[in-house]
């Protein structure tokens, strides 16, 4: 089963001609409210392409209306929410600005996500068949403790190093890599993570290779319209081109990628097939506004 440990947010999305610079104000005619949070997005992406009942999200929301609607949305998408906790903090909220090219800038008010504990994951969700999916929007130490439990049980860990923390210690990144089987990074994240290890200024794919070698893991590096490259701990590479699309909104494309990758690993275990489907799904997800609306269902991905 796929176990996602991570964030839940409500996304307030505004479209602008260009993303404001510091000190600048831009006007937008309106905004839309969509469901988000990297953890929730990855769980929904996995559930839409998986057999029913195969995805469980352990996360935390507030008692507010945002939390109630996020819960209902996860349930409607077939995500298991038995371990979606509720606390006095506000539900996470993301303020997203999308420009004419579909690029975005995001500010996350973390709220309840910061109170999520690894202890919220019960032992019966973890065994040798577990594929754990992690990101960087809940406390790192809690994610690490869940990763180590899954690895001890013989399960596998996909860690999406997103968003890159403002400050991250080298020892913490070493622990993260040691507890990870598949590290998923975009260009910016790969370069930033390699710099934490002391490898400054590397080109994207060299940075990804450093991470793979340092962690003795497989690094899956996503590059938007250029697709994705998979690099193993020996430096062996395979490239997967993206489908050609004219993006409306790239928000959540990385989350779609991670969710479909996890589903593929659980389903038939062939990594190349899983990455290839994840690249296709991520492209499709850019055709609608918001992180989750464009995430494909299984029949759309197959087609
Ligand atoms: O990856 C996209 C997500 O990042 C958004 O849904 C937003 O909630 C932020 O967490």
């Amino acid at each position: 089963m796929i176990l996602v440990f991570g964030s839940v947010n409500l996304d307030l999305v505004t479209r602008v001609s260009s993303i404001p610079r510091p000190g600048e104000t831009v006007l937008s005619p309106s905004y839309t409210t969509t469901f988000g949070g990297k953890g929730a997005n990855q769980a929904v992406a996995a559930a839409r392409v998986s057999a029913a009942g195969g995805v469980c999200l352990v996360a935390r929301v507030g008692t507010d209306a945002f939390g109630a609607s996020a819960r209902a949305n996860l349930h409607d998408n077939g995500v298991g929410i038995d371990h979606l906790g509720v606390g006095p903090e506000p539900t996470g909220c993301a303020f997203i600005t999308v420009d004419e090219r579909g690029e975005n800038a995001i500010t996350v008010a973390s709220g309840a996500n910061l109170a999520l504990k690894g202890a919220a994951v019960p032992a019966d969700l973890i065994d040798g068949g577990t594929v754990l999916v992690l990101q960087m929007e809940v406390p790192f130490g809690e994610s690490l403790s869940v990763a180590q439990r899954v690895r001890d049980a013989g399960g596998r860990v996909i860690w999406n190093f997103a968003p890159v923390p403002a400050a991250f210690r080298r020892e913490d990144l070493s622990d993260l890599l040691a507890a990870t089987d598949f590290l998923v990074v975009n260009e910016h994240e790969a370069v930033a993570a390699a710099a934490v290890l002391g490898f400054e200024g590397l080109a994207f794919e060299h940075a990804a290779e450093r991470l793979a070698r340092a962690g003795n893991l497989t690094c899956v590096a996503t590059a938007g319209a250029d697709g994705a490259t998979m690099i193993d701990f020996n430096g062996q590479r395979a490239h997967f081109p993206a489908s050609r699309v004219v993006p409306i909104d790239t928000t959540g494309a990385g989350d779609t990628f991670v969710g479909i990758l996890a589903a593929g690993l659980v389903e038939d275990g062939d990594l190349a097939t899983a990455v290839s489907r994840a690249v296709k799904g991520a492209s499709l997800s850019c055709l609608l506004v918001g992180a989750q609306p464009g995430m494909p269902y299984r029949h759309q991905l197959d087609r």
Side-chain angles (χ1 to χ4, degrees), residues 4-299:
V4 183
F5 181 79
S7 57
V8 176
N9 296 331
L10 247 285
D11 293 352
L12 304 181
V13 186
T14 313
R15 294 195 71 95
V16 295
S17 51
S18 62
I19 291 169
R21 295 183 300 271
E24 186 184 12
T25 299
V26 297
L27 297 182
S28 172
S30 190
Y31 70 95
T32 51
T33 306
T34 57
F35 297 104
K38 292 187 189 302
N41 291 344
Q42 293 172 9
V44 167
R48 286 190 184 174
V49 300
S50 296
V55 183
C56 178
L57 174 67
V58 178
R60 184 174 169 102
V61 295
T63 53
D64 46 22
F66 279 0
S69 58
R71 174 183 295 276
N73 172 64
L74 289 161
H75 179 263
D76 292 348
N77 275 282
V79 175
I81 50 169
D82 288 352
H83 303 282
L84 179 62
V86 179
E89 315 83 16
T91 299
C93 188
F95 305 91
I96 303 180
T97 311
V98 182
D99 72 11
E100 283 172 341
R101 292 167 304 156
E103 298 292 339
N104 62 54
I106 303 178
T107 303
V108 177
S110 297
N113 296 307
L114 288 185
L116 182 63
K117 301 287 183 209
V121 180
D124 63 2
L125 287 186
I126 296 178
D127 62 27
T130 301
V131 170
L132 172 66
V133 179
L134 298 167
Q135 327 76 33
M136 298 299 289
E137 286 189 332
V138 298
F140 168 69
E142 305 299 326
S143 295
L144 183 64
S145 70
V146 181
Q148 287 166 340
R149 286 167 60 197
V150 168
R151 291 281 293 252
D152 288 348
R156 290 171 291 172
V157 175
I158 299 174
W159 206 318
N160 178 209
F161 191 62
V164 176
F168 202 56
R169 298 181 323 147
R170 184 177 181 155
E171 310 85 81
D172 288 338
L173 184 56
S174 297
D175 289 345
L176 183 158
L177 297 177
T180 299
D181 296 281
F182 305 100
L183 180 73
V184 181
V185 282
N186 67 19
E187 293 162 284
H188 159 69
E189 292 149 6
V191 170
V196 171
L197 292 182
F199 302 107
E200 301 273 353
L202 291 183
F204 159 56
E205 289 197 2
H206 289 123
E209 183 175 338
R210 279 287 176 191
L211 296 167
R213 289 186 189 275
N216 200 24
L217 50 72
T218 298
C219 183
V220 186
T222 62
D226 290 332
T229 300
M230 184 168 83
I231 305 174
D232 74 12
F233 47 85
N234 290 318
Q236 289 270 100
R237 293 171 188 219
H239 182 70
F240 301 83
S243 314
R244 286 190 181 278
V245 297
V246 178
I248 304 295
D249 181 3
T250 58
T251 307
D255 300 331
T256 306
F257 183 95
V258 171
I260 296 174
L261 173 65
L265 286 178
V266 165
E267 200 158 302
D268 74 2
D270 179 55
L271 183 56
T273 305
V275 175
S276 170
R277 283 172 71 79
V279 169
K280 290 196 176 79
S283 297
L284 291 173
S285 76
C286 298
L287 297 177
L288 292 176
V289 172
Q292 295 182 19
M295 288 177 176
Y297 291 86
R298 188 184 182 103
H299 68 275

